[in-house]
Amino acid sequence: MMLVGLVICAPIAAAEGVPASLHGSAWLWLALSGAGNVGGLLITYAAFRLGQVSLVIPLVSCEGAIAAVIAVLAGERLGSAAAAALALAVVGVCMASIAPKRDAGAELEQAGTGRHLAAVSLALVAALVFGGSLYATARAGAVLPSAWVVLSARVIGTVALAVPFTLARGLRLPRAALPFVVTSGICEVLGFFAYTLASRHGIAVAAVLSSQFSTLTVIGSYLLFGERLGRLQLVGVCTVIVGVSLISVATA
C-alpha cells in the first residue's frame, strides 16, 4: 500500500521541487506525521486479527478527538459543548471495551475475553498514534506543500517495511489481494491530501471530521461480513460515533 502511494506522490513532489520551508521544525513534523501513520496502520492491522472490524474501527476513529485535544492544548479553542461530546466518546469507548458474555465453557470465555480486551487495547493505542500523526500532519501541511506531507509516510513505510521484507523475500502479494491493496493505497493518498488542505483552516475540526469514516466502516462490516456485536458493545460503538459526530458540530 505504501509502495502504491509512493508511486503516486513521488512524481508530484519532484515536479514541485524541494520547498524552501523544508528546514528546522518542518523535518520534525514530517517525521512524526509519517512514522505515526505507518505505526498506527501496523497496530490497527494487529487489532483486526483479534477483533471485529465493527469494533476496532470506531475505537480507532477516536484519533480525530485525540488530535483535537492536542490542538486545544497547543492553543486552539474548544467550547464546552465540544468538551462534553469528547466525554461522551470516552464513555462509548469504555462500554465497547467490556467483553461480551459467552455461553461456552470457562476456558473459551476467558480466551474470548482476552482477545476482546487485546483488540480494544490495540485499537486505542492506534488511535493515540494516529491522533499524534494527524496533528503533526496538519502542522507540516501548514508550511509545506501537500505532496511532500503525504509523501513522508510513503517513504517511511517503503524504507522501513517494504524494502526489508523484499530483501528478505518475505513480501508476498497474492493476486486476489492486489485490487484491494492498490485501492487502499490510492484512497489513503487522496484522503491525506484532502485532510492536509482542510487542516489549514483548523486542525481540530478537520481531524474530527476525517474520523467519520468509522460510520461507513461499521455499516460495511455488517453488510459485507455479517459481523455482530453484543448489545453493550453495539451501544458503546454507537456512542463513540455519536460523540465524535457531535464534536464536529460543536467545533464547526
Side-chain angles (χ1 to χ4, degrees):
M1 185 176 69
M2 291 298 171
L3 285 172
V4 172
L6 183 64
V7 171
I8 297 173
C9 294
I12 301 175
E16 292 183 346
V18 179
S21 55
L22 186 59
H23 58 80
S25 61
W27 280 109
L28 175 62
W29 293 124
L30 271 183
L32 291 175
S33 170
N37 181 212
V38 174
L41 286 172
L42 290 175
I43 298 171
T44 301
Y45 295 151
F48 283 150
R49 293 180 177 273
L50 298 173
Q52 298 185 69
V53 174
S54 54
L55 170 68
V56 172
I57 286 298
L59 298 182
V60 173
S61 74
C62 289
E63 62 180 8
I66 292 169
V69 170
I70 296 175
V72 170
L73 294 176
E76 285 196 20
R77 292 185 177 181
L78 191 67
S80 56
L86 276 173
L88 182 63
V90 171
V91 172
V93 169
C94 295
M95 295 174 66
S97 65
I98 300 175
K101 294 184 178 180
R102 302 176 184 272
D103 297 329
E107 292 185 3
L108 290 177
E109 182 173 352
Q110 184 176 7
T113 300
R115 288 176 62 88
H116 179 88
L117 293 178
V120 169
S121 299
L122 287 172
L124 293 179
V125 172
L128 289 171
V129 175
F130 275 137
S133 176
L134 283 176
Y135 180 76
T137 298
R139 291 296 301 269
V143 296
L144 295 172
S146 299
W148 280 83
V149 178
V150 180
L151 180 65
S152 63
R154 292 356 94 177
V155 171
I156 292 175
T158 299
V159 173
L161 298 175
V163 172
F165 279 132
T166 300
L167 294 177
R169 297 182 179 180
L171 184 62
R172 297 183 178 87
L173 183 61
R175 183 175 298 180
L178 182 60
F180 300 104
V181 172
V182 173
T183 301
S184 296
I186 294 174
C187 289
E188 192 189 33
V189 167
L190 293 176
F192 264 88
F193 266 109
Y195 169 74
T196 302
L197 294 173
S199 64
R200 293 173 181 173
H201 303 283
I203 298 176
V205 175
V208 173
L209 287 177
S210 67
S211 65
Q212 296 304 298
F213 67 87
S214 63
T215 305
L216 296 176
T217 305
V218 170
I219 295 173
S221 64
Y222 174 80
L223 297 176
L224 299 177
F225 305 118
E227 291 189 352
R228 302 290 189 276
L229 294 174
R231 291 183 180 178
L232 184 59
Q233 291 71 46
L234 182 59
V235 172
V237 166
C238 292
T239 302
V240 170
I241 294 174
V242 170
V244 173
S245 300
L246 289 177
I247 295 171
S248 65
V249 175
T251 54

